[in-house]
């Protein structure tokens, strides 16, 4: 097998990894208005912008000032991360985790399709029910399915163990904005006060959510 050959340069672009990394975060800080973001969540916001490519994300960001300290303390104590989607779980950088934390996603468990069919809901929502034995003090990350976030909130209303923190950023056109508003209103409406971060509206997704987890896991950008 012959060695690959680098093509001739036809475009001017930065191609050194460390330089791209540094310039990216410098650009985000230069172009984003972070004034309204709690100090404890500033690096979280920067990483979420980095994961989405949207500097106006801060306009819709709702970040509890307790979120990062609470979630980081939980991870340092060995808590697992519970993810609604495989893409969220795979986006977590293992080297950033402070205690070799488990990153769990039960979407592909054998019982999930049957539960979803019996309950008339999505597989992602059904998989959230399998979180219950791991939920107490965990860090929850929902970046895909609004039904998963609604299902989690309903479990908590019904008395499920409380996680240490919720990263709730499902994406989509049906239920995404509504599920995230339910998270914003959750403490006021149900008296269950859990630190959280979310993004109002339709925006969200796996990359944004795993970026938030990576920021929580380690302070360094």
């Amino acid at each position: 097998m012959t060695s690959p050959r680098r093509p001739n340069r036809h475009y001017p672009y930065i191609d050194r990894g460390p330089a791209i990394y540094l310039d990216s975060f410098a650009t985000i800080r230069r172009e984003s208005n972070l004034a309204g973001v709690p100090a404890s969540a500033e690096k979280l916001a920067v990483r979420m912008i980095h994961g989405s490519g949207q500097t106006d994300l801060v306009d819709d960001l709702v970040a509890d000032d307790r979120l990062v300290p609470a979630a980081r303390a939980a991870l340092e104590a060995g808590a697992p991360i519970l993810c609604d989607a495989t893409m969220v779980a795979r986006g977590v950088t293992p080297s950033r985790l402070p205690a070799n934390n488990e990153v769990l996603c039960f979407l592909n468990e054998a019982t999930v399709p049957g539960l979803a069919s019996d309950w008339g809901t999505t597989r992602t929502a059904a998989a959230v029910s399998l979180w219950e034995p791991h939920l107490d003090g965990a860090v929850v990350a929902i970046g895909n399915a609004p039904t998963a976030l609604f299902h989690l909130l309903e479990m908590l209303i019904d008395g499920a163990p409380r996680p240490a923190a919720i990263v709730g950023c499902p994406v989509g056109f049906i239920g995404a904005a509504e599920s995230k508003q339910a998270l914003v209103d959750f403490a006021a409406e149900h008296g269950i006060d859990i630190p959280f971060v979310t993004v109002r509206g339709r925006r969200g997704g796996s990359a944004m959510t795993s970026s938030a987890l990576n920021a929580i896991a380690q302070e360094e950008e």
Side-chain angles (χ1 to χ4, degrees), residues 84-85 122 124-125 128 142-150 169-171 174-176 179:
D84 71 321
T122 65
T124 318
V128 169
I142 296 175
N144 183 21
T147 54
L149 182 53
F150 276 129
C169 300
V171 64
I174 307 300
S179 68

Side-chain angles (χ1 to χ4, degrees), residues 187-202:
E189 292 188 354
H190 298 284
I192 302 173
D193 190 9
I194 300 170
F196 71 92
V197 62
T198 192
V199 178
R200 294 183 189 273
R202 296 170 171 176

Side-chain angles (χ1 to χ4, degrees), residues 56-156:
D56 66 341
L57 187 72
V58 290
D59 297 338
D60 294 321
L61 187 69
V62 184
D64 189 310
D65 61 2
R66 303 166 300 162
L67 180 277
V68 173
R72 188 169 291 153
L75 292 181
E76 289 173 350
I81 298 173
L82 305 178
C83 302
D84 71 321
T86 304
M87 287 189 293
V88 175
R90 289 182 177 173
V92 177
T93 304
S95 61
R96 296 183 70 90
L97 297 175
N100 194 29
N101 307 76
E102 288 187 291
V103 181
L104 304 174
C105 177
F106 297 123
L107 188 57
N108 294 319
E109 290 293 313
T111 58
V112 166
L115 287 175
S117 178
D118 290 345
W119 296 347
T121 190
T122 65
R123 289 175 58 244
T124 318
V128 169
S129 288
L130 303 184
W131 289 359
E132 189 154 0
H134 311 274
L135 198 53
D136 189 20
V139 175
V140 164
I142 296 175
N144 183 21
T147 54
L149 182 53
F150 276 129
H151 194 92
L152 172 66
L153 298 180
E154 290 171 340
M155 286 172 62
L156 294 170

